[in-house]
Each structure stands twice: as C-alpha cells, then as structure tokens.
Amino acid sequence: MYAVYRRSFSAVPATITRFRTPRRRVPDLMHQVPCRRHVVIPYANIVESTGLIDASSDEGLLYFDNLSPLKYNLWDIQHLVTRFILRQNTTSTLQFIKDKAIPPDLPIEIEQIIPRSKDGGVIVKFRKRQGQITDDEIEAQIQAYLEEHPVRPWFNPFRPIKSFRIKGVPWIEDLHRFPSSRLRVEFEGPDVDQETLYYYFRRYGLIRDITPLSPASKDLPRYATIQFVSVRGAAIARTCLHGIIAKSGTKLHIHYEPTIQKHIFRDWLFNHPRIVIPALAALLAGVTVIIFDPIRTWFIKQKITKRFSLSNNPVVKWIRTTTMSTIDVILATGSFGRFKMSKKEESDLQIGFSDRRGIIEQLKTLLNETPETFIVVQGPRGSGKVELVRDHAVKEHPYTLFIDCQKITETRSDAAFIKEVSTQIGYFPVFPWMNNISAFVDLIVQGVIGQKAGFSESVDSQFKNMLENAATAIKEIAIENHKKTMKSSIGSAAVDEDCYETNPTARPVIVIEHYLHRADKRESIYRALAEWASVLVMSKVAHVVFVTDDVGYAKVLQEAISTQVFNTITVGDATPELARKFVLSQILAVTGESEDDVPESTLKDLDEALKPLGGRMTDLLTLVRRITMGESNRHAADDMIRQSASEIIKRFLGSGNDKSWTSEQAWTIVKSLAKDEDIRYNELLLNPLFKNAKDVIAALEHAELITVLEKDGRPYKIKAGRPIYRAACQRLLNDKGLAATLEISTLTAISGLLFASISKNEEELAKLSKIVASKSVDVSERMKYLAEDIRAKQAKISEYDKLIDKQKKVLATEY
C-alpha cells in the first residue's frame, strides 16, 4: 500500500515507479523483543541514504506524538534538559510504546522505529497479517486504547500521547528547520482548494486560518499557508501528510514556515509609537552627545594645536626643506621646469611688495591685542589677500584654524557639505551618510504616527552643532595656554577660567577665508559663521579674521556685532613700478638671465603690455606664465584683453532673466569706462537708465564689473572691477558692429522711458483741460510746463531716432 515515489528525469514524461529495498539481516546490535519481530534502524542511516522510509504493501507507518519536548531552535534549553533527564534511547522508547501505547492483542509486528526528536515523537514501522485487519482499523484500535489508557508525560501533563497513521511519505532530514505552527503546503500539480486542505489537516489539530496563494500570483511552486493553533498539531500534520497525493492528483509537499514570536515588551513598543520613537530619538541624541562630543572636541583641539602633526616634527621639517629645495632646483633647470613654479615661491612673490609690509605689521599688531571686534581683510579678487594672511600674518602663530568658505559653499550635496566642514575644523568622527537614512526614517515615522520623531537634523543645525564643538575646543585651548603661562611665571596653575583675558598671545586665531563667496547660495551659513565668531570675540577667547572680496560684508557682520566697529584692512592692487618689478623678476627667475641681458626693446614691450593690466596679481601671474611659455609680451597682453572682453559680453552684455541689470545699463557703464578711467557716482544716477537704480550698481559691483570707491562714508567714484576691464571696455567700444547694436538697444530703451513720461504728461493735460472748461481753477502755468516738457522730450526722441538711424547705417557696413 505504501511506497516511495521518485521522478524520472529522462526525456519521457515523468512516471511514478515503485521500488523495494531488499530485506537486510538484523545486525547484532539490534534488540529483539519476544513474540514480535522489531528492528531499530539508526537515524543517521536513513538521513544519509535517501531521507525516506520504504514500505511494502503489507507494511504501514504510525506516528506517536508527545514522547519528547519539541525543539524550537538549535539551542533549545528545554529540549536539551528534558532529553538529559529522560536519557531516552531507541530501545527504551520501543519498549515504552510496546507496553503503554499498543494494545496487547493487536495483530501487528513492529519492524522499525525512527525517532523524530525535533517533532517530539517517533515513527513506528509495522507489518500486519494479510487480510486480517486494515490500516484504518489499526489506527482506530490504537487511538481507542490510548483514550482508555491515557499516557501523560511529566514534561507535558496536559496533553496525552496520541497516535496517527502516516498517509504520506515522511521526509527524514536533519536540516535546521524547526517546528512551527504555520505550515507551507506546496502543490505538485493543480491547486488544492481550502475545503480539501481542511479535510486533510483538521484531524491533527485546530486550524486558525488557511491562506491560499492569489490566482494572479506567478510564484512557483504554487502553495497555501495553514496556520495551526498549536505547534504539535502542525508537527503531526507535516509528518503524517508530507508526500500525500490528493484526490485531484496533486502531490503535497509540507514544510515549516517560521512565525514571528510575539512578546509583551515588543508589543508595547510597537503599540505606543508616539512615546517610544521620540524617546528613542532623545536617547540616541543623548548617547551621541555623551560619547562622541568629547572625542570630537579633542580632535578639533589637535587640529588647531597641531600637536601630533608631522609637519611640526623637526626631522620631517629638515627632510621636507632639503627635498623640496633639490626638487625646485631640478625643476627650475630642466626643460619642463621653466613653466613650473612652486606654490610657496608664488605665494612669497605675490606679497613681497614693499607697500604690503605695513599691512602685515598692522595685522600682526591687531592679533597681539585683546580681541574686541572682528578683523576684516578686504580686497578685490586676485589681490593676494588670502596668501597675505595665511602665509605671513599668522604663519608663526602656534594655534590657527582656517575655514575656507569657497570650498564649503561649492559642495554639491548635504553629505559633501558636512564632510568638507568636518575636514576643515577637525570634527571627527562624523557620519554624513546618516543624513539620508535619518530623513528617510523620519518620513516613514511621520507617515505612521503623524509627526516627526526628530531622527533627522537639518544641515544648518548640524553646522551650528559643529561650530559649538569648535568653540568649546577653542576656549579649552585658550585656558590651557594661559594656565601654562601663569604656572611658569608664578609656579601655580590654579587660575580662574576668566583670567585668560589678560593674555592675548595665548588665544587661537580663526581665519575665515573667502567670506560671502556665493552668498546667495548659502546665506544661512555665513550668518551662522558671523554669530559664532561674535561669541568667540565677545568672550575674548580667540581672534577672528574675515578675508573677503565682497564690499557688502558689513551688512552681515553688523547683525552679529552691532555695537562695535570692525578693524578693516584694505588690500589693493600693486603700483605699476612694483608690478613691473614683480613680472620681470619672475621671468628672469625662469630664464636664468639678468636684467642687464634683456634688450631695451623687450623691456619697452613689457611696459606696454603691463599698462592695461594694472597691478592685479592674478592677471600678472597669467601674463608671466604666457611669456615664459614662449608668447611675446604684446601678444600675451592682447590675448588677455580679448578674453576679458569676451567675458564681459557673456556675463554682463548678454541677455538673461537671472540678472539684476539689463544689457543697456551694463553697456552704459562699459562705454563710460572706455572713455574715462572713472565715473562720477552721482552723475551715473542722473542717467535715465539708472534712475533709482542703486541696487543695480551694487549688483554690478558684486559681479566685479565695477568697484565703487567711498569717501567720508559715501560712494563717490566708480572704477573698473579689474584694471584689465578698462582695456577690455575700450576694445568693445572699438568693435563698431557690437557697439552699434548695443547703442541702438540703449537709445531705444531711453526713448521708451521718454515715451512713457510723455504719455503721463498727456494724461495729466487731458485732466487739466477739463478743469479749464469748468473755469474753476487757473492751471495755465501747469499746462504750459507740461507742454514744454513734452516738446523737450520729443526733441530728444527725435535726436535719438537720428542716432539710431546712424547706427543702423554702421550695421549695414560692419560685421
């Protein structure tokens, strides 16, 4: 009746075959029981061979449950302890079943017993006499006998031992699959409906639910999930029905499906998210502050003091100096070295002018005083102010911290921003990748409980927290330095924390470079830096130096310190004499010649090339590189002017909706700078295009087209933003085609303003004519004034029309 099935994997369709294992002789180690022949097969032999139990037509299989505890996991303590106490083996279990679970007069012979320790039972293989009794009768008699003589094990006294006939082909395995109350029934064939499944499985225990797979699902194999009330019911069903073939011809493969164990504490956590999630966020924040903040403060202190930096090691300094000197000599004398200049040489030469020694001394003097306000070093871009501060003014100071706003604001993501700031101030450890995860978690929590849990933190908030850690580290450095000074002088280090105010040299110096660079992108960052710097200065723990090329720095800094006047140092362009000396010295340093060897004509060409460049350091360095690469002096200068003219066209004279000025306004300034070296500020405001347009002038200054000079606190003169821009403006004015096009556009814009003014006058005249008709008021003087104003403006429009026609003729002949 029972057989083991296997699928043939040949080219022909799958067939079901029956095979029989030849009977073996009983080994000597097997124990024999009188009157009934029985064999105890070692469990390992079945597992290692096929995992299946073969049975002939006159043999059957029974399953006895609740003979040992269930094994729920690999290290189930209850199962291990119970097995140790029971000290069960196959022989004793067989004898127990014979004596307690099988009726004495039942006409069967026990042949084999296979323990199922994970499922808490055993499988018994028996042989019956042909024609005397059926398998169903055997099952019924054993179940009746167990009901009349119940056997209750001590480890589970509330559930007696039960016996069931195995209708399928049990799978004997030693995998790490442990009993569960949920079974996954896979179908080898058509799907089996829920009613049929209930018919097969209900007799082994109460069923809580049967969940079939959706008909639209494409998962293979098809399956259904059966949830039993008890784990033992599921274990019995799996053992007795695995491999059974349903009436529809579908073979059932049954496996345990793990279930999530429910616990009171976990349920409470999940049922109260409005309490648990904010509390968890607060706990994480507290742990972060307690553990990481002292570590981060320590790293910031090392960044400022450079105690563990190799650059301060005397041996490393000597090796670096010797090596770099040798490399510089090789590069300077090699064929490729004439185009190479070390960064240190470039920096030293940029600020090696005599007119800047006073600025350096002034800055050093301010750093030796007690800080009461900000130190602001302002100058146009490319004037060498950053190198002046970094490499000369604060180079010898032992405690410095540099913050480059340009690198910070040019980051493309929040994570890169946090990483760049942490690198510059020494804030470590930092986890920028946690921002995205925290924001995602916060979004999920908000969707679940309706409010944010506080896991995520804005970039501005993180930036302020980093600055607060840096402020703590700076204050500790100032206190430690003062205590060392006091201990060395009076022999005691017991000083009050506020006493360091009397020692200005012990304070760190904070240099904030490129302040207000692209301020429109991260304005909040610059305000946070100003507030943080004001705290350091007002508490007198550090000097703060702002290096900026933005002339509107006072608006932002004044919000942080409104009661103090800044110590402002202006860095301008070099004088023509020093610019010539600098360029010539650079060229001779590369060529290896002396000034006496340079022809007089070459020097004259160099002087002519330097005139349009002025003293802007970036332009001078560009000229040096071009000349050393083989270009002639005038060709290099002309090409630089051409590039600057193209830059003005693209940035200022082109059309664009994102600009604060019009191309006509920019062309008016370009045309004026081409004719004169400077423009009167008030005179420019009289131009119709610049009426009430001070913000336009400020925007052009911020864009570096112009520089507004002040006198007695008021603007009075406008110059080109870079000296080379004036030569570029002259080049643009000499371009007749471009000049004619822009001139037509400018005259048309001014005529439009005049037309609008005339329209207003005409409307007013129409209203006044009604008053004249009523003869109530004499408005003849007003009407006469409006008429004269209309006549004068119309005359200007006519004049502009003639100029426009003239420029159109130019366009007809010029490209």
Side-chain angles (χ1 to χ4, degrees):
M1 178 177 180
Y2 296 94
V4 178
Y5 303 100
R6 65 183 180 184
R7 182 184 296 274
S8 175
F9 292 93
S10 60
V12 298
T15 58
I16 298 177
T17 59
R18 173 176 296 178
F19 65 91
R20 295 183 180 180
T21 304
R23 185 172 303 279
R24 300 178 182 178
R25 298 188 61 183
V26 179
D28 296 339
L29 56 90
M30 301 299 179
H31 184 72
Q32 296 184 2
V33 179
C35 301
R36 290 186 184 143
R37 183 167 59 90
H38 65 276
V39 180
V40 180
I41 300 297
Y43 178 77
N45 291 352
I46 299 176
V47 174
E48 293 176 0
S49 57
T50 63
L52 303 173
I53 305 174
D54 60 323
S56 59
S57 59
D58 59 342
E59 294 176 336
L61 298 175
L62 292 172
Y63 179 72
F64 289 87
D65 176 47
N66 204 22
L67 292 177
S68 64
L70 293 170
K71 188 175 183 179
Y72 293 100
N73 51 65
L74 186 61
W75 305 103
D76 191 339
I77 302 299
Q78 178 188 6
H79 182 270
L80 295 176
V81 172
T82 306
R83 296 271 298 181
F84 176 77
I85 295 175
L86 292 176
R87 298 182 183 276
Q88 292 177 335
N89 54 45
T90 52
T91 304
S92 62
T93 302
L94 176 62
Q95 189 66 37
F96 177 81
I97 293 174
K98 245 185 64 175
D99 297 340
K100 302 291 184 180
I102 298 178
D105 56 347
L106 190 64
I108 62 174
E109 297 178 355
I110 299 178
E111 290 191 336
Q112 298 176 0
I113 179 173
I114 300 96
R116 300 292 295 141
S117 59
K118 288 193 299 184
D119 299 329
V122 295
I123 297 175
V124 175
K125 181 179 180 181
F126 65 90
R127 179 180 295 275
K128 60 183 178 180
R129 297 193 182 98
Q130 294 289 344
Q132 291 186 357
I133 190 170
T134 63
D135 293 340
D136 292 335
E137 292 175 349
I138 294 173
E139 180 185 23
Q141 291 187 24
I142 294 177
Q143 290 179 351
Y145 181 78
L146 290 176
E147 288 181 2
E148 295 178 1
H149 306 85
V151 181
R152 301 179 183 272
W154 65 270
F155 55 85
N156 191 7
F158 300 101
R159 180 185 177 91
I161 296 175
K162 295 183 179 181
S163 177
F164 298 91
R165 181 169 64 91
I166 297 178
K167 299 180 180 181
V169 182
W171 181 23
I172 310 301
E173 41 79 18
D174 57 354
L175 304 175
H176 288 179
R177 298 179 181 178
F178 302 100
S180 170
S181 60
R182 182 180 299 172
L183 295 178
R184 178 187 174 103
V185 183
E186 297 179 354
F187 306 135
E188 186 179 339
D191 289 4
V192 179
D193 54 57
Q194 300 184 48
E195 292 81 0
T196 304
L197 293 176
Y198 185 85
Y199 169 77
Y200 280 113
F201 287 85
R202 175 60 184 84
R203 65 193 306 268
Y204 302 107
L206 290 175
I207 296 176
R208 181 172 296 168
D209 191 17
I210 299 176
T211 307
L213 192 64
S214 172
S217 176
K218 297 182 179 180
D219 294 344
L220 293 177
R222 304 282 296 177
Y223 66 92
T225 303
I226 301 178
Q227 178 69 51
F228 279 83
V229 174
S230 65
V231 180
R232 284 197 176 272
I236 297 171
R238 178 182 180 274
T239 303
C240 295
L241 296 180
H242 181 85
I244 190 173
I245 299 177
K247 296 179 181 180
S248 60
T250 301
K251 188 175 183 180
L252 305 183
H253 299 275
I254 307 173
H255 309 285
Y256 292 121
E257 188 170 282
T259 58
I260 301 175
Q261 299 293 332
K262 298 182 179 179
H263 303 282
I264 297 176
F265 180 71
R266 188 201 60 195
D267 291 342
W268 186 90
L269 293 179
F270 280 97
N271 292 333
H272 300 82
R274 294 179 180 270
I275 301 175
V276 174
I277 296 178
L280 181 61
L283 179 63
L284 292 176
V287 171
T288 302
V289 171
I290 294 173
I291 297 177
F292 290 108
D293 275 13
I295 300 175
R296 290 163 175 167
T297 302
W298 185 86
F299 274 102
I300 294 173
K301 290 171 64 177
Q302 309 317 311
K303 176 76 174 182
I304 298 173
T305 59
K306 305 177 183 63
R307 293 173 183 170
F308 301 99
S309 177
L310 292 176
S311 59
N312 293 334
N313 189 286
V315 178
V316 176
K317 285 183 178 180
W318 178 84
I319 294 175
R320 179 180 297 175
T321 304
T322 306
T323 306
M324 293 305 298
S325 300
T326 306
I327 293 176
D328 291 342
V329 171
I330 295 174
L331 292 178
T333 57
S335 60
F336 55 92
R338 57 187 291 116
F339 314 127
K340 177 72 176 178
M341 183 168 54
S342 68
K343 184 178 292 185
K344 184 177 184 303
E345 290 178 344
E346 188 175 294
S347 174
D348 292 342
L349 289 170
Q350 284 184 29
I351 59 175
F353 306 127
S354 59
D355 61 340
R356 296 193 177 181
R357 294 175 184 173
I359 296 177
I360 297 173
E361 295 300 328
Q362 181 185 359
L363 187 54
K364 288 183 177 180
T365 302
L366 292 174
L367 294 177
N368 289 329
E369 297 176 354
T370 301
E372 295 180 354
T373 185
F374 299 145
I375 301 174
V376 181
V377 179
Q378 193 275 332
R381 186 176 302 177
S383 57
K385 55 188 177 299
V386 174
E387 292 78 8
L388 184 146
V389 175
R390 179 186 285 264
D391 296 336
H392 285 261
V394 300
K395 183 179 181 181
E396 302 300 330
H397 200 284
Y399 310 115
T400 55
L401 178 63
F402 297 95
I403 301 177
D404 191 348
C405 297
Q406 181 176 356
K407 294 181 180 179
I408 293 175
T409 55
E410 289 180 354
T411 53
R412 298 185 178 181
S413 63
D414 293 343
F417 173 83
I418 296 298
K419 185 177 180 180
E420 180 62 32
V421 175
S422 62
T423 301
Q424 292 193 23
I425 68 175
Y427 188 86
F428 181 84
V430 63
F431 312 103
W433 48 270
M434 285 295 295
N435 292 341
N436 296 332
I437 298 177
S438 300
F440 182 71
V441 172
D442 227 2
L443 183 62
I444 295 176
V445 172
Q446 186 177 7
V448 173
I449 67 177
Q451 65 182 16
K452 290 187 177 182
F455 286 104
S456 62
E457 192 176 12
S458 64
V459 177
D460 294 344
S461 178
Q462 294 182 59
F463 181 64
K464 291 179 180 180
N465 292 337
M466 297 167 76
L467 294 180
E468 289 178 1
N469 276 79
T472 302
I474 291 169
K475 184 176 181 180
E476 291 179 0
I477 292 172
I479 294 174
E480 292 174 0
N481 295 338
H482 180 68
K483 286 183 178 181
K484 291 178 182 179
T485 305
M486 296 299 293
K487 184 176 181 180
S488 61
S489 59
I490 63 177
S492 175
V495 295
D496 188 79
E497 292 186 359
D498 296 331
C499 293
Y500 60 82
E501 296 183 5
T502 60
N503 188 9
T505 58
R507 297 181 180 87
V509 176
I510 314 301
V511 180
I512 303 178
E513 302 172 352
H514 300 104
Y515 187 69
L516 295 181
H517 174 76
R518 300 181 69 179
D520 55 338
K521 184 178 180 181
R522 292 188 180 269
E523 183 179 358
S524 59
I525 300 302
Y526 291 113
R527 297 187 184 278
L529 280 172
E531 294 175 359
W532 173 68
S534 66
V535 173
L536 298 178
V537 171
M538 298 305 292
S539 58
K540 297 180 174 57
V541 298
H543 289 280
V544 180
V545 181
F546 288 93
V547 184
T548 179
D549 50 24
D550 196 309
V551 294
Y553 64 88
K555 295 180 180 179
V556 181
L557 297 182
Q558 202 69 39
E559 296 178 0
I561 300 181
S562 58
T563 59
Q564 299 291 335
V565 179
F566 309 137
N567 293 323
T568 304
I569 299 175
T570 303
V571 179
D573 297 327
T575 61
E577 294 79 10
L578 293 175
R580 181 182 185 276
K581 181 180 179 181
F582 167 73
V583 173
L584 188 59
S585 63
Q586 289 294 293
I587 296 174
L588 296 178
V590 175
T591 59
E593 300 175 351
S594 63
E595 188 174 353
D596 298 335
D597 299 333
V598 181
E600 188 67 24
S601 59
T602 303
L603 295 177
K604 289 183 179 181
D605 290 342
L606 181 61
D607 294 338
E608 292 296 328
L610 288 174
K611 283 182 181 180
L613 302 185
R616 187 62 53 89
M617 294 305 304
T618 52
D619 295 334
L620 296 178
L621 287 173
T622 304
L623 179 65
V624 169
R625 291 191 181 95
R626 285 177 172 271
I627 294 175
T628 54
M629 291 177 67
E631 294 186 40
S632 64
N633 298 337
R634 292 189 178 183
H635 181 270
D638 290 341
D639 193 55
M640 292 175 61
I641 294 172
R642 181 188 58 79
Q643 291 180 357
S644 299
S646 300
E647 180 182 354
I648 292 175
I649 293 174
K650 292 178 181 179
R651 292 185 58 194
F652 303 103
L653 300 180
S655 59
N657 297 326
D658 57 340
K659 297 177 181 178
S660 303
W661 61 85
T662 62
S663 58
E664 292 80 14
Q665 290 172 328
W667 172 248
T668 301
I669 292 179
V670 168
K671 184 171 60 175
S672 300
L673 290 175
K675 297 177 181 179
D676 300 315
E677 186 176 353
D678 51 51
I679 308 171
R680 295 182 182 88
Y681 184 84
N682 295 327
E683 182 182 2
L684 182 62
L685 294 178
L686 295 177
N687 190 294
L689 296 176
F690 287 90
K691 186 178 181 180
N692 300 324
K694 292 183 179 181
D695 54 340
V696 174
I697 298 176
L700 290 171
E701 182 185 18
H702 188 269
E704 298 183 351
L705 176 63
I706 59 175
T707 299
V708 179
L709 303 180
E710 295 185 356
K711 181 180 181 181
D712 298 332
R714 67 174 182 85
Y716 80 104
K717 188 166 58 175
I718 297 175
K719 298 182 65 175
R722 292 167 54 189
I724 196 174
Y725 275 178
R726 185 167 186 271
C729 292
Q730 293 173 348
R731 183 184 183 92
L732 294 176
L733 188 61
N734 293 331
D735 187 345
K736 295 182 180 181
L738 176 66
T741 302
L742 293 172
E743 194 67 21
I744 291 174
S745 178
T746 303
L747 293 174
T748 303
I750 297 176
S751 297
L753 295 176
L754 294 176
F755 274 124
S757 179
I758 290 174
S759 299
K760 291 182 180 179
N761 291 345
E762 290 174 346
E763 292 177 1
E764 187 176 355
L765 281 173
K767 295 179 181 178
L768 292 176
S769 62
K770 296 180 181 180
I771 298 175
V772 171
S774 63
K775 299 181 180 181
S776 57
V777 180
D778 185 10
V779 292
S780 59
E781 291 295 331
R782 179 62 180 173
M783 295 179 68
K784 183 179 179 181
Y785 169 79
L786 293 175
E788 291 293 335
D789 187 59
I790 291 175
R791 187 180 299 108
K793 291 180 179 178
Q794 183 59 43
K796 289 183 179 179
I797 292 175
S798 300
E799 182 181 353
Y800 292 155
D801 289 341
K802 293 179 182 179
L803 294 176
I804 291 174
D805 293 337
K806 183 179 178 181
Q807 297 298 331
K808 289 181 178 179
K809 293 179 180 179
V810 175
L811 291 178
T813 58
E814 298 291 338
Y815 289 98

